[in-house]
Amino acid sequence: MKKVLISVLMGSAMAIGASAASAATLDDVKAKGAVQCGVSQGLPGFSNPDDQGNWTGIDVDVCRAVAAAVFGDAAAVKYTPLSAKERFTALQSSEIDVLSRNTTWTMTRDTSLGLNFAGVNYYDGQGFMVRESLGITSALELDGASVCTNTGTTTELNVTDYFRAHNMQLELVQFEKSDEVVQAYDSGRCDVYTTDASGLYAQRLKLTNPAEHVVLPEIISKEPLGPVVRQGDDQWFNIVKWSLFAMLNAEELGVTSANVDEMKNSDNPEIRRLLGVEGAFGEALGLSNDWAYNIVKQVGNYEQIFNNNVGPDTPLKISRGVNALWSNGGFQYAPPIR
C-alpha cells in the first residue's frame, strides 16, 4: 500500500512538473512583455533592419504573428540578430524565445539539438550566383571554381556533395557572417556565391553592381525554412506553429487584414472558428479566442506577408512558385482549426 501511495504521489508530481514546464516559455514571455525573436544579421525580404532599426521581412512577420497571438500586439517583439553559427546556441540557452531566421529543417537539427521546427514559412533550395561576364550558364561548368559560403550551415555540406557527385573540384571560401560572404564575393575573392536561392536574390541587392550578376538555374537541395523553438515546451511549440498556420488558413479562406472585421460576420463556420466567433480554440493554446483575428488584422495572411516582403512588386521579385497554396499547385498547406 505504501509503495502504491508513493507511486501515485510521484505520478502526480511528475504531472504537475510537466504542466509547469509546458507553460514556462509563455509565462516568461508574458513577464517580459515581449517575444524575444532571433533573426538574421540582415537579409532583405526575410529579416532586415532599416536605418531606424525597424525590422521587416517574412521571418520577422512570423515573430510579429506570435506577438499578436500572445499579446494582441504585433509590435511586442524584440529582435536579436544572430549569425548562422550563433543561432542554435542562442535558442538552446533561452537567450531568445523563437528563432525565425532562414533556417533549414533537417533531421539532425530536429533530433540532436533539443529543438523543434514549428513549420515551413518558405520552401527554398540552394543555388549559385556568378558574374555575368564569366559566360557561365550552368552549375555544371563550375569545375575548379572558388566558392564563397557561410560556415555552420547546410550550404557548405550541400555544395561539397554536389561537386563530389559531379566529379568536380572546388575551393571553399568560408565566413561566419553573411555580409562577410557578400563582401568577399563582391571584391572578387571567389568566383561563385552559394546559398539558398532566396538569399542570393536578397544579397544581390547589396552588391556594387547587382545587374552584373546572375543566378544559375540549378537548385541542388531541399531547404524548407521555418521558425524553431526549444523541445520540451509543447504549449509554446503549438503557439508558434498555429500562428503560422493561422496565416495560411486565412489566405485559403480569403480573410485579409483589410476585410477581417467584415469576415467576423461570415456564415462560413471555418472563418468563424478562425476568427474566434465560434468555439474556444484559443483556450487550448493558453490564449484569448481572438488570437488568430489579431494575427490577420495586424500582420496579414500568408499571401500578404509573402507579397509585402519578397513578392513580384518588391526588389526581390520572387514568384510564389512552390510557396503557393496547395490548392494553387504549391506546397503550402495548414491543418484546419476545428
Side-chain angles (χ1 to χ4, degrees):
M1 184 67 180
K2 186 175 180 180
K3 289 182 178 178
V4 172
L5 180 59
I6 291 172
S7 177
V8 170
L9 290 172
M10 288 179 65
S12 299
M14 289 173 66
I16 293 171
S19 177
S22 69
T25 304
L26 179 59
D27 289 345
D28 289 346
V29 167
K30 286 182 174 179
K32 291 183 296 186
V35 178
Q36 195 72 43
C37 184
V39 290
S40 75
Q41 293 171 313
L43 185 64
F46 289 82
S47 52
N48 196 56
D50 62 19
D51 294 339
Q52 286 73 45
N54 299 310
W55 286 84
T56 60
I58 195 169
D59 290 333
V60 167
D61 280 345
V62 171
C63 304
R64 296 178 63 240
V66 174
V70 173
F71 295 106
D73 181 4
V77 186
K78 294 182 179 179
Y79 299 98
T80 302
L82 297 166
S83 69
K85 184 178 180 180
E86 299 166 331
R87 56 186 164 173
F88 297 125
T89 303
L91 184 57
Q92 292 163 336
S93 65
S94 299
E95 178 184 344
I96 57 175
D97 304 310
V98 58
L99 176 67
S100 188
R101 181 207 176 281
N102 56 300
T103 297
T104 302
W105 187 348
T106 69
M107 180 179 180
T108 299
R109 291 172 175 178
D110 204 29
T111 59
S112 64
L113 299 181
L115 306 176
N116 278 331
F117 282 77
V120 178
N121 70 323
Y122 191 91
Y123 287 95
D124 210 346
Q126 186 173 331
F128 300 94
M129 182 163 62
V130 297
R131 290 166 182 80
E132 190 173 29
S133 60
L134 294 177
I136 292 173
T137 59
S138 168
L140 295 174
E141 301 172 37
L142 296 177
D143 189 16
S146 55
V147 181
C148 279
T149 189
N150 281 93
T151 57
T153 66
T154 56
T155 308
E156 57 184 320
L157 304 177
N158 293 335
V159 69
T160 301
D161 284 349
Y162 182 80
F163 272 69
R164 179 181 175 187
H166 291 90
N167 297 312
M168 298 191 300
Q169 299 296 315
L170 86 157
E171 175 193 349
L172 274 181
V173 184
Q174 300 162 290
F175 300 90
E176 181 179 338
K177 297 180 179 180
S178 295
D179 279 347
E180 292 175 337
V181 183
V182 175
Q183 291 166 9
Y185 171 73
D186 201 21
S187 66
R189 290 187 59 185
C190 51
D191 307 310
V192 185
Y193 180 16
T194 185
T195 189
D196 297 342
S198 61
L200 293 176
Y201 288 108
Q203 301 290 35
R204 182 166 61 178
L205 300 176
K206 299 179 181 180
L207 299 176
T208 304
N209 297 297
E212 296 178 1
H213 302 264
V214 295
V215 178
L216 299 177
E218 285 83 2
I219 297 295
I220 68 169
S221 69
K222 294 183 292 184
E223 306 292 335
L225 312 178
V228 194
V229 296
R230 288 179 292 279
Q231 288 181 3
D233 190 336
D234 287 349
Q235 183 183 40
W236 186 247
F237 176 46
N238 287 336
I239 288 171
V240 175
K241 175 170 54 179
W242 281 96
S243 293
L244 173 59
F245 288 163
M247 293 189 285
L248 287 165
N249 278 320
E251 179 186 354
E252 186 173 349
L253 293 168
V255 183
T256 71
S257 57
N259 69 15
V260 66
D261 289 310
E262 178 186 348
M263 285 292 195
K264 291 181 77 171
N265 299 315
S266 171
D267 293 329
N268 185 327
E270 289 184 272
I271 293 176
R272 293 174 68 83
R273 288 192 294 268
L274 172 72
L275 301 182
V277 179
E278 283 186 10
F281 297 96
E283 290 181 4
L285 297 171
L287 305 176
S288 62
N289 286 326
D290 60 356
W291 64 279
Y293 164 84
N294 290 329
I295 292 174
V296 180
K297 179 69 175 179
Q298 299 182 37
V299 184
N301 65 26
Y302 182 81
E303 180 181 36
Q304 289 179 286
I305 70 167
F306 186 98
N307 287 341
N308 290 342
N309 293 299
V310 301
D313 294 330
T314 70
L316 272 69
K317 302 185 184 305
I318 299 176
S319 64
R320 283 292 290 270
V322 295
N323 285 292
L325 292 179
W326 66 281
S327 52
N328 292 326
F331 295 161
Q332 290 292 3
Y333 184 108
I337 295 175
R338 64 173 313 122

